[in-house]
Amino acid sequence: MSLIAALVAVPLIAAVLLMLFRSESQRNVITIAAAAITGVTAVAFAVQYLFVGHVSFALPQETSYIATWVFTAIDIVLCAVILWHAVRYKNRLALVLGLVQTVGVIAFANMTLSEGAGHMLPEPLYSDQLSVIMVLIVGLVGSAICVYALGYMHDFQHHEPAGAPDRRHFFSALMFIFLSAMFVIVLSDNLEWLFTGWEITTVCSFLMIGYTRTDEAIKNSFRQINLNMIGGLAFLAALIMLHFGGIELSLAAFIETASTTQAAVLIFPILLLSVAGLTKAAQMPFHSWLLGAMVAPTPTSALLHSSTMVKAGVFLLVKLAPVYMVFPAASIMVVTVGGVTFVLCSFMAISQSNAKRVLAYSTIANLGLIAACAGVGIAEAAWAAVFLIIFHTVSKSILFLCVGTVEHRIGSRNIEDMDGLFSRLPRLTRFMMLGILGMFVAPFGMLISKWATLVSFAETGNVVFLILLAFGSAATFFFWAKWLGKLAGVAQKAENVEAGVHRSEWFAIGSIAVLMLACCLGLPAISLGVVSPYLEATFGSNPQFLGVDNMLIMAVIVAFIAIVFLTPWGRASKKRRVEVYLGGTCTDPDSRRFHGSMGRTMTSTKRNWYMQDIFPEHALTNVGVIVCLGIILMAFAACFIFNTDVLTGGTFYVERLPRLVGPGLPGLLLGVVVFAVCAPVVGCLLDGLDRKVSAHMQGRVGPKLLQPYYDVRKLLAKEQASVNAVDEAYITCAIIFCLLAGGMFISGSNLLMCVFLVTLATLFVIIASYSARSPFADTGADRECLQVMSYEPMLLIMTVGFFGATQSFDTASLLTLEQPMIISLIPIFLGLLFILTIKLRKSPFDYSYSHHAHQELVKGITTEMEGRTLAKVEIMHWCETVLFLMWVGMFFIWDNPISFVVALAVVALTWFFEVFIDNNSARTKWQFGLKYAWLVALVAGVINLFYMLITPFI
C-alpha cells in the first residue's frame, strides 16, 4: 500500500517543486531525482506483487470517503479549467461539453457522496499482473521520457522566438502529473477514482498540446479536448447508470456482475465504457485528436503515444475483455472499429512523408489491433493484446524520442531529409532503425502477437478481421520498410552532427532500447511468469502459442539483429570502394551528380514512394469515420431492437487451440543444417534447368545445366568492391534468415514463423539495396517493398488456412492428416500459385529483380551489388525457390508415403508452368500486380476461410 502511495505522490511532489523552483539547474535536479525514484518504486512494486496475483488493498471507509471528496474536487477543478479556456478562446463546443460534464460530475457526486462513508468501497485499490505491467510501462518508460525532455526542451526553447516566455517548468510539471494520473488509472478498482485519473490525462494533454499557444496548437488542443470529453461523458454516463442499477462502482464487481442474473443492467454501461476506451485510444471516428497532437513538443507525443493517454484507453478495453464474451453488441463494435481503424490507418501511413504523422497513424493502427484483440474476449486474444501493448510502448517511444532529436539536429522531421542520416547521426540512426524493426519485424514480439491474433480470430470464426489483419500487416511492411531504407543509406562523405545531442536524451533513448531488447529476449519468461497467470485468473485458461524451442530461436535472432545494428559488425570491410551507377561519370556520389552522355553535369534525384493516389488520406479518413460511426450507432441501436436474452447471450466460437507438434530444438537445428546443405544444390540445378527449358522455348541452344554454379563461382573469384561497407553484411543476414526459414519448414516447425522469416530475409535485401543510395537500386528496393505488400496478404491467409486444416501451425502436423489439405484449400492454393510468380521473380511480376537481359538492362535491387555480395544473393534465390516450391507441395501431403510422390509431381508441374508463364508474358505495370494480387488474396481468402471457419458454427 505504501508503494502505491509513493507511485502517486512522488510525481505530484515533483510537479509542485517544478512550479516552485524554475531555474534550469533546479529543474534538472528535481526531474532526474523524481524520475529515478518513480522508476525504482515501480520496479519495487513489480517485484513485490508480480507473483502474488490479484491483491486488493483495503482502506478505512472514512479515508476512502475523504479521498472521494478530493477526487470530486479535482473533477470540478478540471471542468473549471476547460470552461475557462473555452471562454478565453471562444470555443463554443468545448463550452457546451464542459458545462454538461460539470453538471454531470456535480450530480453524480451528489448521488454517491450523500450516501455517506458507509457506502465506500472497502478495497478501492488493487494489483494484478496486468496492472504491474502498466506500472512498469508508466514508471520506466514515462520517467525516461521526462528525463529526455530536459535536453529536448533546452533546444526547443532555444528555437522559440526571441522574448518568448520560458514555461518549461510548467511543461515538466504537467508530465509528472500525467504519470501520477496513469498510476491512479491502472491501480484503482474504484471506478470513480479511475474516472478522475482518466480526466486528468485528458486535461493535461490538452494543456501540453497547446503549450506553444500558436493558432495551430490551440486549434488542435481543442480538437483533443472536445473529442475526449465525448469519451469522458460516456464514462460518466456509465457510472451514473451503474449507480442507478445498484451495481457496486468497482471494476472487479463490474466484471463479476456480467456472469450473474444482473448482466442485463450492464448492456448500456459496457457500450459506454467501450466508447470511452475507443475515444481515449484514438480510434475512428475519434482519431483526429492524436494526429493534431503532433504540433506539441516531442516529449508530449512520446507520452501520449507510448506510456500514457492512449494506453489508458486500451488498458480499460483489455480489463473489460472477459465481459465482451457476454455482450455480443459491445464485442462486435469494439472488434470492428479496431479492425477498420487498423487497416485504414495502416494504408494512410503509406502516404505520409512527415515522420511524426507516420508514427501517429502507426500508433492509431496498432491501438486498433489491440482494441480488436480485447473485443474478442478470449484468453488468446487478450494475450496478444497485452504483448502488443508492451512492444508498441517500447518501440514507439524510441522512435518518437529519436525523431525529436533528429528534428533538432537537421531542422526537419521529413523522411526525405533523413537521407544519409546513417552517416550524419550514426548512433541515433541505429537506435531508430532498431525501433522500426521492433514495430513490424519478427522476432521483436510482433510476430508472436500477430500469431496469437490470428489464432484468436480463427477460433472465433471472424473472417472479416482476418482479412483486415492480412492487408493491414502488408501495408505496415511497406511504410516501415521504405522509411528504414531511407535511414540505411550510407553517404561516403558526411559531417557527423551527433555531438550536440544532450546526455539526458542519450540516457532516455539508450535506456528504452535496453528495455526493448530485454522484453524481446525475456519474452518466454514474461509470458510464463506474468501474462499466463493473469489469463489463468481472469479467463480460466492459459494459452500455449509457441514451443520453448521456437522462443529460444527468436531470442537468438533478436540478439543477432541487435549486434548487426548496434555494433560495427560487418562494416570494417577491406573492399575497394566504388561509385554508384548514375548513367554517366559520377562526380559526387553523395549528391548524385554525374556527367551525362551529352557532356552536361546533371543530378539524379530519388525520393520515397508515397502512393497518395492509391491511398488518399482524405478519402480513407471519410470512409473510416462514416463506417466506424455507423458501427457505434448500430451497436447502441441494437439495444432497442433485440431483447436482453440476445444482448447478453454471449459470442460463440469453436475451440481451436493450436496443437504443438514441432520437432523440438534439436530437430529444428538439424533441419536448418539439412536445408543449408541441400537447398543450394537443388536450387542451382533448378536454375540451370530453367535456363535450358527457357532456351528451348525461345528456339536457341541453352547453357550447361551447371552454368549457374559457374556464374556464382566467377562472382566469388572477382575482386571485392562495393559502394559501401554494409551491403554484404545485410545480405549475409538475409541468407541466414532464409536458411533458418527453410530449416524450420522441413523440420516440421512453425509455418507462420517460416513465412515471417522469409519476409525478414527480404527486408535485409531491401536495406542492403537502399544503403547504396543509388537511384536505380532505390527504385528496385521500392519495387521490392511493393511486391512484398502485394503478396504478403496471400501468405498470411495461407497460414490461417493451414491452421484451419491442421489445427496447428507446425508443418509436422501434415503427416497426421487423413487427406491432403488441397481438398479443403483449393482457393487458397490457387491464390498461392498466383503470387508464386512474384516470389520466384518471374514475368509478368519481376519488377524489382530480373534474371533476363531482354527485360531490363539495369537489374534494379542488385544494381550496386557485385562479386561476393551478388553471389550470396543468387544462392539465396536458389534457396527461396526450393522453399516456395515446398510450400506448393505441402498442400498434397498427408498420412501416406505415396503423398510425397504426388507432391513432387505437382511441384514439378508448377515449376514448369511458372517457367512457361515467364517466357510467354511481358512485364505488366506495378498497378496491375498490386491490384490483382490483392484481389486474388481477397477472393480466395473470403471464400476459403468463410467456408472453413464458419462451417463449424452451422
Side-chain angles (χ1 to χ4, degrees):
M1 184 65 197
S2 59
L3 289 174
I4 293 180
L7 286 171
V8 176
V10 169
L12 286 179
I13 294 171
V16 173
L17 293 176
L18 287 166
M19 294 300 292
L20 295 175
F21 303 97
R22 302 185 176 187
S23 71
E24 186 163 13
S25 59
Q26 293 170 332
R27 182 167 55 253
N28 291 347
V29 172
I30 295 169
T31 299
I32 293 172
I37 295 172
T38 302
V40 170
T41 306
V43 173
F45 177 87
V47 171
Q48 184 167 348
Y49 296 109
L50 192 57
F51 303 104
V52 178
H54 187 95
V55 180
S56 296
F57 300 98
L59 281 177
Q61 291 199 320
E62 288 293 338
T63 304
S64 291
Y65 187 63
I66 294 171
T68 303
W69 267 104
V70 171
F71 281 121
T72 300
I74 293 173
D75 287 335
I76 295 173
V77 170
L78 294 174
C79 290
V81 171
I82 295 170
L83 293 174
W84 185 83
H85 281 85
V87 172
R88 179 183 178 186
Y89 292 103
K90 301 178 181 178
N91 192 293
R92 296 178 181 176
L93 181 57
L95 180 62
V96 172
L97 292 174
L99 287 172
V100 173
Q101 183 158 321
T102 302
V103 173
V105 166
I106 295 173
F108 179 64
N110 185 58
M111 297 175 198
T112 56
L113 294 175
S114 62
E115 295 177 346
H119 290 81
M120 293 294 105
L121 291 179
E123 297 176 336
L125 300 170
Y126 77 101
S127 169
D128 62 14
Q129 289 88 352
L130 179 59
S131 63
V132 166
I133 290 173
M134 294 302 297
V135 164
L136 288 173
I137 286 174
V138 177
L140 297 179
V141 178
S143 296
I145 294 172
C146 290
V147 173
Y148 170 88
L150 295 175
Y152 179 89
M153 293 306 291
H154 175 84
D155 292 339
F156 187 89
Q157 187 66 29
H158 179 73
H159 290 93
E160 285 285 274
D166 187 352
R167 299 169 56 245
R168 285 178 287 167
H169 62 285
F170 177 67
F171 183 85
S172 298
L174 285 175
M175 294 179 71
F176 278 107
I177 294 173
F178 236 114
L179 300 187
S180 181
M182 279 299 299
F183 288 130
V184 171
I185 290 172
V186 302
L187 294 171
S188 292
D189 189 47
N190 187 324
L191 287 171
E192 292 181 78
W193 298 8
L194 196 157
F195 172 74
T196 300
W198 191 272
E199 290 304 292
I200 290 173
T201 61
T202 296
V203 174
C204 284
S205 63
F206 165 71
L207 297 174
M208 295 173 76
I209 294 170
Y211 172 76
T212 58
R213 295 178 178 174
T214 62
D215 292 341
E216 184 182 14
I218 296 299
K219 175 185 175 183
N220 289 337
S221 66
F222 273 106
R223 178 185 295 135
Q224 182 274 335
I225 200 72
N226 289 335
L227 289 173
N228 275 283
M229 271 198 290
I230 294 174
L233 288 172
F235 200 129
L236 184 58
L239 296 183
I240 294 172
M241 295 183 73
L242 289 173
H243 180 77
F244 278 120
I247 305 299
E248 194 176 50
L249 295 178
S250 160
L251 189 58
F254 185 94
I255 296 171
E256 290 172 3
T257 304
S259 58
T260 68
T261 55
Q262 291 182 288
V265 178
L266 303 183
I267 293 174
F268 268 104
I270 184 65
L271 285 171
L272 291 168
L273 288 176
S274 298
V275 169
L278 292 172
T279 305
K280 186 75 78 173
Q283 297 299 283
M284 288 182 164
F286 313 108
H287 71 294
S288 60
W289 74 261
L290 196 60
L291 296 171
M294 295 299 97
V295 302
T298 291
T300 300
S301 304
L303 273 177
L304 296 185
H305 289 244
S306 60
S307 60
T308 62
M309 193 66 173
V310 293
K311 290 299 187 298
V314 291
F315 168 77
L316 178 61
L317 295 176
V318 173
K319 290 296 291 186
L320 296 175
V323 182
Y324 290 122
M325 280 303 295
V326 180
F327 301 97
S331 175
I332 293 171
M333 179 184 76
V334 173
V335 169
T336 310
V337 169
V340 171
T341 301
F342 169 67
V343 71
L344 291 183
C345 287
S346 296
F347 288 161
M348 286 188 280
I350 292 175
S351 63
Q352 307 301 312
S353 61
N354 183 312
K356 276 196 171 184
R357 286 187 71 84
V358 173
L359 296 178
Y361 274 122
S362 167
T363 294
I364 299 168
N366 278 277
L367 292 171
L369 191 57
I370 297 170
C373 289
V376 174
I378 61 176
E380 289 81 357
W383 191 97
V386 172
F387 273 100
L388 285 170
I389 289 174
I390 294 172
F391 288 103
H392 178 265
T393 295
V394 290
S395 298
K396 191 56 66 70
S397 55
I398 290 175
L399 286 171
F400 267 108
L401 300 187
C402 287
V403 168
T405 301
V406 166
E407 183 181 1
H408 280 170
R409 301 274 74 78
I410 68 174
S412 172
R413 63 177 65 163
N414 192 298
I415 292 175
E416 295 305 312
D417 295 328
M418 297 180 186
D419 188 21
L421 203 65
F422 196 91
S423 301
R424 291 181 286 167
L425 295 164
R427 279 195 298 166
L428 198 64
T429 303
R430 290 188 181 110
F431 280 124
M432 199 185 307
M433 294 172 76
L434 195 65
I436 290 176
L437 288 173
M439 281 304 303
F440 80 111
V441 167
F444 285 89
M446 289 298 179
L447 167 66
I448 296 183
S449 299
K450 286 184 178 178
W451 186 86
T453 305
L454 285 171
V455 171
S456 63
F457 283 96
E459 284 188 34
T460 54
N462 197 323
V463 176
V464 173
F465 188 82
L466 285 170
I467 298 298
L468 293 177
L469 178 63
F471 286 93
S473 296
T476 297
F477 179 93
F478 187 82
F479 68 76
W480 283 128
K482 61 191 180 74
W483 186 1
L484 189 63
K486 184 63 70 173
L487 294 175
V490 180
Q492 295 193 4
K493 297 177 182 179
E495 179 185 359
N496 189 319
V497 295
E498 216 161 44
V501 179
H502 295 273
R503 284 184 296 178
S504 62
E505 295 173 280
W506 282 127
F507 169 81
I509 294 170
S511 299
I512 299 176
V514 170
L515 186 62
M516 172 185 159
L517 293 175
C519 289
C520 294
L521 296 174
L523 190 147
I526 297 172
S527 176
L528 296 175
V530 185
V531 181
S532 291
Y534 172 75
L535 299 177
E536 187 72 42
T538 305
F539 296 90
S541 63
N542 181 14
Q544 297 294 324
F545 296 107
L546 282 178
V548 177
D549 52 338
N550 286 317
M551 289 190 178
L552 290 174
I553 289 291
M554 291 178 64
V556 172
I557 295 173
V558 169
F560 177 68
I561 293 176
I563 291 172
V564 171
F565 279 101
L566 299 180
T567 70
W569 179 82
R571 295 179 178 84
S573 174
K574 297 181 180 179
K575 288 183 177 182
R576 180 171 61 89
R577 297 291 291 272
V578 296
E579 297 165 342
V580 298
Y581 174 74
L582 293 171
T585 303
C586 181
T587 60
D588 185 354
D590 288 338
S591 63
R592 302 184 180 98
R593 294 181 63 82
F594 66 98
H595 286 302
S597 58
M598 301 300 292
R600 293 182 299 168
T601 300
M602 295 175 285
T603 301
S604 177
T605 59
K606 170 68 179 65
R607 66 192 302 273
N608 267 343
W609 206 356
Y610 295 102
M611 294 185 163
Q612 289 94 338
D613 54 335
I614 296 180
F615 302 109
E617 182 180 9
H618 182 70
L620 291 176
T621 298
N622 290 339
V623 170
V625 168
I626 293 171
V627 171
C628 291
L629 183 59
I631 291 166
I632 293 172
L633 294 176
M634 288 168 60
F636 279 94
C639 298
F640 299 97
I641 298 173
F642 301 100
N643 59 44
T644 56
D645 291 337
V646 175
L647 296 172
T648 59
T651 56
F652 302 97
Y653 70 99
V654 175
E655 191 79 9
R656 291 191 181 93
L657 293 179
R659 295 183 297 121
L660 300 178
V661 295
L665 189 60
L668 194 155
L669 295 177
L670 178 62
V672 172
V673 173
V674 171
F675 186 82
V677 172
C678 299
V681 175
V682 176
C684 177
L685 293 175
L686 286 175
D687 194 2
L689 190 60
D690 185 340
R691 298 187 191 187
K692 292 188 73 69
V693 172
S694 296
H696 179 74
M697 289 181 178
Q698 296 165 12
R700 57 184 175 85
V701 178
K704 296 180 179 180
L705 182 64
L706 292 180
Q707 188 60 47
Y709 162 74
Y710 296 122
D711 291 343
V712 167
R713 195 172 71 175
K714 285 188 290 184
L715 288 172
L716 292 172
K718 288 184 64 176
E719 178 191 8
Q720 299 304 307
S722 175
V723 298
N724 58 48
V726 300
D727 59 346
E728 186 179 359
Y730 292 144
I731 295 297
T732 301
C733 292
I735 197 170
I736 289 173
F737 294 136
C738 181
L739 294 175
L740 182 58
M744 297 191 77
F745 183 86
I746 66 170
S747 67
S749 194
N750 191 280
L751 176 64
L752 184 61
M753 189 183 293
C754 172
V755 170
F756 272 95
L757 285 175
V758 168
T759 303
L760 179 61
T762 304
L763 176 66
F764 271 87
V765 175
I766 291 171
I767 296 174
S769 183
Y770 275 126
S771 69
R773 298 183 72 249
S774 158
F776 296 102
D778 278 6
T779 300
D782 282 348
R783 292 174 177 177
E784 188 72 19
C785 289
L786 173 75
Q787 295 196 157
V788 174
M789 185 171 68
S790 300
Y791 67 68
E792 189 77 3
M794 191 64 245
L795 292 185
L796 287 178
I797 290 169
M798 179 189 75
T799 61
V800 177
F802 182 94
F803 173 75
T806 66
Q807 201 174 314
S808 175
F809 281 104
D810 293 334
T811 56
S813 61
L814 292 170
L815 301 178
T816 65
L817 296 178
E818 296 180 356
Q819 58 186 20
M821 290 195 308
I822 187 65
I823 294 176
S824 57
L825 297 180
I826 291 177
I828 288 179
F829 178 74
L830 295 176
L832 175 64
L833 291 184
F834 186 86
I835 63 102
L836 191 65
T837 307
I838 300 175
K839 291 303 295 174
L840 295 179
R841 305 187 186 281
K842 303 292 187 183
S843 289
F845 302 126
D846 56 337
Y847 305 131
S848 64
Y849 178 77
S850 171
H851 286 280
H852 307 299
H854 71 274
Q855 291 173 322
E856 187 173 347
L857 295 177
V858 179
K859 293 181 71 174
I861 197 169
T862 57
T863 299
E864 304 300 338
M865 299 177 191
E866 56 182 288
R868 192 167 59 203
T869 303
L870 191 56
K872 291 179 180 178
V873 173
E874 291 296 316
I875 295 171
M876 177 184 166
H877 179 60
W878 295 344
C879 296
E880 284 183 329
T881 300
V882 174
L883 177 57
F884 303 150
L885 291 175
M886 286 195 297
W887 286 354
V888 173
M890 75 178 176
F891 283 82
F892 299 87
I893 300 293
W894 75 95
D895 185 17
N896 191 323
I898 196 68
S899 66
F900 290 94
V901 177
V902 175
L904 189 61
V906 173
V907 166
L909 289 173
T910 301
W911 176 85
F912 182 81
F913 176 72
E914 292 292 342
V915 175
F916 178 81
I917 291 293
D918 187 36
N919 285 278
N920 288 275
S921 59
R923 178 178 296 163
T924 64
K925 293 184 177 180
W926 63 264
Q927 291 92 336
F928 178 91
L930 177 63
K931 179 172 66 175
Y932 282 97
W934 277 19
L935 181 62
V936 168
L938 182 63
V939 173
V942 169
I943 293 175
N944 215 156
L945 295 183
F946 184 84
Y947 169 77
M948 288 188 60
L949 301 179
I950 301 298
T951 300
F953 294 97
I954 302 174

